[in-house]
Amino acid sequence: MDTLIYGSTEIVFLIASQLHQQHNVTVLSESKELNEKFKSKGPGRPQVGREIRDLVWRMAAANPSWGAPRIHGELLRLGFEVSERTVSNLMPDSHL
């Protein structure tokens, strides 16, 4: 009778360990899937192109009385889609 109980305990332990391993594999695979789904595509927003940066600096240098709203408007007229906040951040410090 002792061997039957001892053998049964081993079987139960074996089944329990298999289920535990299977559960860990499932959780890890789901975790990897979620991580891949929501993983960042890069370091953040793409940088503003050199052309726009140079235009902002040239406009600010050529027109000292223009602020970010005016330069932003001129860039929009030229077909560049950039926010006024970005133009303000790109303006030279001496112009502010």
Side-chain angles (χ1 to χ4, degrees), residues 83-96:
S83 72
E84 185 178 326
R85 177 66 181 248
T86 301
V87 171
S88 177
N89 289 336
L90 291 174
M91 295 199 39
D93 292 334
S94 62
H95 192 69
L96 298 176

Side-chain angles (χ1 to χ4, degrees), residues 5-76:
I5 292 174
Y6 181 72
S8 299
T9 307
E10 283 183 355
I11 292 172
V12 169
F13 179 74
L14 182 63
I15 292 171
S17 66
Q18 289 292 328
L19 288 174
H20 182 70
Q21 287 176 355
Q22 194 174 24
H23 175 71
N24 283 344
V25 169
T26 303
V27 170
L28 286 175
S29 64
E30 287 176 3
S31 174
K32 286 179 184 178
E33 289 172 7
L34 286 174
N35 192 23
E36 290 297 320
K37 184 176 180 180
F38 294 107
K39 191 168 80 173
S40 176
K41 307 259 186 297
R45 287 186 180 264
Q47 291 185 348
V48 177
R50 181 177 293 259
E51 183 181 15
I52 293 176
R53 200 170 357 147
D54 290 344
L55 270 173
V56 170
W57 277 68
R58 285 177 43 206
M59 286 180 174
N63 306 291
S65 63
W66 287 10
R70 178 71 185 264
I71 293 175
H72 171 250
E74 293 299 321
L75 288 173
L76 288 177

